[in-house]
Every structure is written in C-alpha cells, then in structure tokens.
C-alpha cells in the first residue's frame, strides 16, 4: 500500500500484489510495467546496508550502517499510459538519523524526463517541509527542505548532471534550487559497483526497452526486425548473466542478504516478463533466463540452508555446555561465529 497526496489530503491506497498494471486504454491483455512497485522493492529492503551505501554515494554523506532509516508515508504518483507504455514518476522520502543528526532526502524516479521536473520536485519538497513544520514564530518562519535527487532511467539527449530552478522575487535577489541527476543509461555494472550504487544492479535490463520499442514501431520488414532482435537478444542474455553474477558477488561480500538477493532477482524477472509480454520476438528467451536464474540462486539457497543447519547444531551444543572450541570443530563454523551465537543465546 502507499499514500497518495492530493492537496492537503493524504489517502491510503491498497496496492495490487502484481508488479504490473493493466493498460486500460485498449482491450488487449498486455500489461504495462509497474515501476512504482519495482522501485519500492529495491529502496525499502529490510537490510539497510544497500540503501545507506546508495545514499552515501549520491549525496556524499558518511552515514553508518547503525543509522535509523525511516520512510515517511508520503508518496506522489503520476502514471500516464501512452501506446501501452508507462511513463512513471514517484517521490520517495527517506529520513535517516545518525549520531543525533537528521538527514532528510527526497528521491524522484522518472522513466522518461519531463521538462517541468524541477518545478514539481520543488513543489513536493515545499509541501513536505511545511508538513514537517512544528512551530510558527510570529516574525520568522523557518522551513527545511529535504535534499532532492532525480533518477532518470531512459536516455534523454542534452540532460545535464544538474537541473536548476531559478526563483526570482520582486526587488530582491533570486535563489537557485539545484537538483542533481543520476542518468541511469550512463551506468554499467562496473560503474555501479565502483560508485557503490549496487542497489540499482537489477535495472540494467531496462536499458534495452527503448531499442525494443523503436523496433516494434518501425515499418521495417518482419525478417529484418527478427534478425535485429535475435542479435539484441544475445546482448540481453549476456546482460542478465552479468547482472546475476554482480548480485551474487554482492551477496558473497556481505553487501546484501539472501532476502535482498531474492528481491533483486524478482525485479529482473519482472522486467524480463514485461519484455516477453510486450515484444513478440523476445519470447524465446524465457526458458534460457529461467535456467540462468536457477543456476545462480539455487546454490546460494542451498549454502544458506547448510549454514543455518550448522548454526542450529552449534546452539544445541552450546546450550548443553560444550566449549567454543569443541563446537567450532564439530560444526566447522569459525570460532568467531560460535562466540557470536553464544552471545545471541545469552541475550
């Protein structure tokens, strides 16, 4: 569920379980991709590490993993379906408390850039600042805007790394409201890794959507279209494989949990299903992708099951009074992990 703000009224809206949204503009059974659900799944993982790493990366802060992360119940959604496609934007507000300091963020997601974005982000930031106002002084009212950031998924020629809203007042100096922009199409897996933006790994498949859509709408002969799509399919398979490898590596390095792993794979699967449903020539990749998913994810699940079994055995032995050294040798767990389990039992 999410909160939809209209004027001063905030309405709780029940969300469907599916990550798709029906295209009500035509009678076909095709679905439009619900980027709202996908983005919320990525940015509200139970594990705080990926989101804190991402916030530190885009805002240049130094927040620790022991910070408190809170998502205010304010979200503005605007879905416009055009030719079976979804133009989507959503505001995600994040408040982080770390070492008695409050960090207030506003991240806007946009599939396709729109020229009035600066105005809208400013307006939503102002609304939130006023909503958070706790007291009114007779002479001076101080409002605190959240720090804005814009993520644009689909390529927009000429879009710079920062957009500026210039606000002028009669007979006074104007002010500049600046919004940094993350242009996702400029990021491959290596760049996302280097800049600690691994939270966005699963969206790599989205980079092919524009090409697929243009090809679908072109008036080229079907044989030419088929040849082109077969070629791009090879690149898509490589992208999915590389993305799965990157996610698996993030898991092995302790950046994400197995639950995060599953959520990220679900996002890739959702994008893949959308491609299958929308672009006819893409259907042949379904089985190959399914096999690829199992080859990456199943071994990690098996390892996690083995690890849990060893840890349960260790708990039982420790409760019976066995020494740390004996438990470590019996279960093949590290001595450090055995001590951590013993501490968990005592707590």
């Amino acid at each position: 569920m999410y909160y939809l703000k209209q004027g001063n009224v905030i309405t709780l809206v029940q969300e469907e379980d599916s990550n798709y949204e029906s295209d009500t503009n035509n009678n076909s059974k095709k679905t439009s991709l619900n980027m709202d659900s996908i983005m919320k799944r990525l940015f509200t993982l139970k594990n705080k590490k990926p989101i804190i790493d991402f916030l530190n990366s885009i805002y240049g802060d130094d927040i620790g993993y022991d910070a408190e992360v809170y998502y205010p119940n304010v979200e503005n959604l605007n879905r416009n379906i055009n030719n079976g496609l979804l133009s989507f934007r959503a505001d995600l507000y994040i408040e982080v408390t770390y070492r008695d300091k409050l960090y207030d963020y506003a991240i806007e997601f946009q599939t396709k850039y729109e020229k009035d974005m600066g105005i809208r982000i400013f307006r939503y930031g102002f609304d939130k600042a006023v909503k958070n106002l706790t007291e009114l002084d007779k002479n001076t009212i101080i409002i605190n805007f959240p720090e804005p950031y814009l993520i644009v998924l689909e390529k927009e020629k000429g879009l710079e790394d920062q957009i500026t809203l210039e606000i002028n007042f009669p007979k006074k100096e104007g002010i500049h409201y600046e919004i940094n922009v993350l242009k996702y199409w400029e990021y491959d897996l290596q760049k996302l890794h280097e800049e600690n933006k691994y939270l966005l790994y699963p969206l790599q498949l989205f980079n092919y959507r524009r090409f697929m859509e243009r090809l679908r709408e072109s008036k080229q002969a079907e044989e030419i279209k088929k040849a082109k799509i077969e070629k791009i399919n090879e690149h898509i398979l490589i992208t999915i494989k590389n993305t799965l490898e990157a996610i698996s590596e993030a898991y092995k390095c302790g950046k994400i949990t197995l639950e995060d792993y599953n959520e990220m794979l679900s996002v890739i699967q959702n994008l893949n299903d959308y491609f299958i449903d929308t672009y006819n020539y893409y259907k042949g990749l379904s089985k190959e992708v399914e096999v690829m998913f199992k080859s990456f994810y199943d071994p990690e699940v098996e390892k996690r099951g083995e690890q849990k079994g060893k840890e349960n055995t260790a708990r039982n032995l420790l409760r019976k009074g066995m020494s740390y050294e004996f438990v470590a040798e019996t279960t093949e767990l590290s001595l450090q992990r055995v001590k951590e389990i013993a501490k968990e039992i005592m707590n």
Side-chain angles (χ1 to χ4, degrees), residues 189-207:
L189 292 166
Q190 182 62 30
K191 188 174 181 181
L192 290 172
H193 168 72
E194 291 173 353
E195 297 187 10
N196 232 13
K197 296 180 173 73
Y198 56 91
L199 183 67
L200 302 184
Y201 278 166
L203 301 179
Q204 285 290 290
L205 192 59
F206 191 86
N207 290 331

Side-chain angles (χ1 to χ4, degrees), residues 205-206 208-209 211-212 215-216 225-226 228-241 268-290 292-293:
L205 192 59
F206 191 86
Y208 294 96
R209 195 214 65 82
F211 172 85
M212 302 284 272
L215 187 62
R216 184 178 71 165
K225 286 185 179 183
K226 187 173 182 179
K228 287 184 176 181
I229 209 69
E230 285 177 355
K231 187 174 182 179
I232 200 67
N233 279 354
E234 295 176 10
H235 291 282
I236 290 174
L237 279 177
I238 293 172
T239 296
I240 293 176
K241 180 177 180 293
I268 299 175
Q269 187 65 62
N270 291 340
L271 287 169
N272 184 67
D273 289 347
Y274 166 72
F275 273 43
I276 290 172
D277 186 62
T278 308
Y279 308 111
N280 291 332
Y281 292 130
Y282 185 76
K283 297 182 187 297
L285 295 186
S286 179
K287 188 65 178 177
E288 294 176 75
V289 172
E290 182 182 336
M292 201 180 296
F293 268 55

Side-chain angles (χ1 to χ4, degrees), residues 13 23 26 29 71 104 115 133 196 225-226 231 258 323:
V13 181
D23 184 351
N26 57 58
K29 293 183 179 179
Y71 299 90
D104 196 0
K115 292 181 179 180
L133 197 61
N196 232 13
K225 286 185 179 183
K226 187 173 182 179
K231 187 174 182 179
L258 196 65
S323 68

